[in-house]
Amino acid sequence: MGLLDKIHRAISGMEEDSPEHLEGYRRIGDEVYQAQVELSDARNPRVLLLLRVAEYFQAVANALLPIPSLDSKSLATVPQITHLVAEDWFGRIPELLIAARQEAIVPNSSTVVLPIQLGQPRHSDGTCPLSHLAGLRRATDAAFEFVTPDVSRVRVHPEQNAKILLLYEETRTRKNTADAIVGSLSEGKKIPSRSHEEAREEYWKGIRQCLLITQGLRDISLLPSRLGRRSTLDLEDPWKVTSRLAISDIRTSGEDGQVEQELRTLWDRYPIRDAEHTYINTVEDLQKRGKIVENGYWFRVPFQSVYQVKGEQVEINGSIIPRGHEFVFDFGDEHEPGRLRHQASFGYSEDREHGDTTDS
C-alpha cells in the first residue's frame, strides 16, 4: 500500500468523493506550515527547495477547491474529476515533507528526484465540467501569484535568468489563452467540447510550468536547457514513445488496458530530463536521414523502440555507436535516471515485462 492510500484510510475510511475526505486532505496541506517552522533554521538548499515545492502544492490544491469556504455543502457540489486532482496534489505533500526532514538530518539522504514533476492530467468522462475549469483557473492564478514576486526580482538580471523569464512568459501566454476560453463559457456562450479540453490542457501546462519555475528560482540547473525545441515526450499521449511493433503485439494479445495503466503510472512518476528529450529528438533526426532503423522494442515499459545503425557510426547523447550495433534508451524510474544502452545485438523476444501499477 502506498503512502497516499494509507493517508486515505487514516483520514476517514470514507468514499473517495466525500466532502469530509477532501477536508482531511486540506488538513494535511496545513502540515506545511508546521514543517516550515520546524525547519526554519535549515540552510541546506535542497531542504528549502522541497519545502517550497510542498508549499506550492498546498497553494494550488487549496485554490482548486471551492471558495470562499470549504464547508461540506460547497464540497458536495465539486465534480469527481476535481476531487481526484485535489487528492493527487494534496497527496504529494507528505512525501515532500518526509524528504525535507530527511535532508535536514543527512544531506542527499532522500529518494526524491529533482526536478519534481506535476504528472499527467486526469481526464473526466465526457466534456470537462465548467466548474472543474473554474477550479483549474483558480489554481493557475494561485500558481502565478506564487512565482510572480520572485520572477519580478530576477528580471534585473535577464541574461542570467533567461530560462526562467522565457518559461514564465510562455506560461503567461498559455494562461491568457485558457482564460479567454473559460470567459466565453462563463458568459453562457456555447463552444465546442474541444475548447473545454484545450482550456484544461493550457491550465494544466501553466500549473506544471510554474512548478518548474518554482524550482528553477532555487536552482536554475533544474530547468530544461531546451526551452525552444519540443519533443515527443511533451505529448500527453501515454503511448508517446511506445514502439509501433510493441503496440501491434500488445493489441493482438489483448493487453491494451493493462499496458495503458502501466504507461500512465510511469509518466505520472517519471521526471523527464534533458537526456530523454535530447535522445528522442536525435533518433527522430537520424531516422529521417536513414541513418538508423527500428529493429524491435525493449522488454520493459514503456516498450520503446530498439534501433540499429545502418550507415556510418552515429553519436547519441555523447556516445559513439558503431555501424550495425543496436541501441535503446532504457527509461529508469522516479528514483533512477534512464540511460543509453548499446551493443552488437540485444536479441529479440516477444515476452514483455509488466510492472506493478500501484504505489509502492
Side-chain angles (χ1 to χ4, degrees), residues 77 96 145 211 222 310 335:
T77 64
L96 292 167
E145 290 174 8
L211 174 59
L222 295 176
K310 298 302 288 184
H335 303 310

Side-chain angles (χ1 to χ4, degrees), residues 44-55 96 114-116 214-219 222:
N44 183 333
R46 192 175 173 94
V47 172
L48 299 176
L49 189 150
L50 291 167
L51 287 175
R52 187 65 173 162
V53 174
E55 186 180 1
L96 292 167
L114 300 177
I116 293 157
T214 297
Q215 296 170 83
L217 286 163
R218 294 280 180 175
D219 183 353
L222 295 176

Side-chain angles (χ1 to χ4, degrees), residues 312-337:
E312 298 302 317
Q313 65 181 30
V314 297
E315 180 176 349
I316 300 178
N317 286 37
S319 295
I320 301 298
I321 305 176
R323 180 174 185 170
H325 278 222
E326 295 181 347
F327 67 90
V328 66
F329 192 93
D330 187 9
F331 287 84
D333 56 29
E334 68 269 32
H335 303 310
E336 295 211 10

Side-chain angles (χ1 to χ4, degrees), residues 118-130:
L118 185 65
Q120 299 298 312
R122 284 187 176 270
H123 295 271
S124 56
D125 295 330
T127 301
C128 182
L130 178 57

Side-chain angles (χ1 to χ4, degrees), residues 162-217:
K163 288 197 290 186
I164 289 174
L165 298 176
L166 290 173
L167 187 58
Y168 179 84
E169 293 304 324
E170 176 193 337
T171 305
R172 187 162 65 92
T173 303
R174 290 186 180 281
K175 176 185 179 300
N176 292 340
T177 300
D179 284 348
I181 296 172
V182 174
S184 298
L185 284 169
S186 61
E187 292 168 5
K189 297 178 181 178
K190 187 174 182 180
I191 62 176
S193 59
R194 182 179 70 254
S195 296
H196 287 241
E197 294 305 312
E198 288 173 355
R200 180 192 61 76
E201 289 178 9
E202 294 298 345
Y203 281 138
W204 194 272
K205 289 175 182 175
I207 296 165
R208 179 173 61 199
Q209 291 176 335
C210 282
L211 174 59
L212 286 175
I213 292 170
T214 297
Q215 296 170 83
L217 286 163

Side-chain angles (χ1 to χ4, degrees), residues 211-316:
L211 174 59
L212 286 175
I213 292 170
T214 297
Q215 296 170 83
L217 286 163
R218 294 280 180 175
D219 183 353
I220 193 69
S221 69
L222 295 176
L223 287 181
S225 59
R226 51 113 209 86
L227 290 179
R229 183 178 180 184
R230 302 172 69 80
S231 81
T232 303
L233 288 166
D234 292 301
L235 300 176
E236 303 292 352
D237 183 5
W239 301 85
K240 52 193 170 187
V241 300
T242 304
S243 162
R244 291 174 297 174
L245 298 173
I247 292 174
S248 177
D249 286 352
I250 289 165
R251 287 176 176 168
T252 299
S253 65
E255 301 171 73
D256 309 46
Q258 177 184 358
V259 171
E260 179 160 340
Q261 181 56 48
E262 291 174 348
L263 290 169
R264 290 190 182 279
T265 298
L266 171 69
W267 299 127
D268 280 347
R269 297 172 174 174
Y270 192 84
I272 297 173
R273 306 166 182 85
D274 282 355
E276 284 87 335
H277 284 289
T278 300
Y279 173 80
I280 293 296
N281 286 331
T282 301
V283 296
E284 288 177 354
D285 289 343
L286 290 172
Q287 274 191 297
K288 290 177 184 176
R289 293 158 54 198
K291 301 291 187 181
I292 61 175
V293 294
E294 187 175 3
N295 201 38
Y297 60 88
W298 201 236
F299 66 99
R300 285 198 296 260
V301 173
F303 305 120
Q304 64 276 28
S305 298
V306 172
Y307 297 98
Q308 184 180 47
V309 180
K310 298 302 288 184
E312 298 302 317
Q313 65 181 30
V314 297
E315 180 176 349
I316 300 178

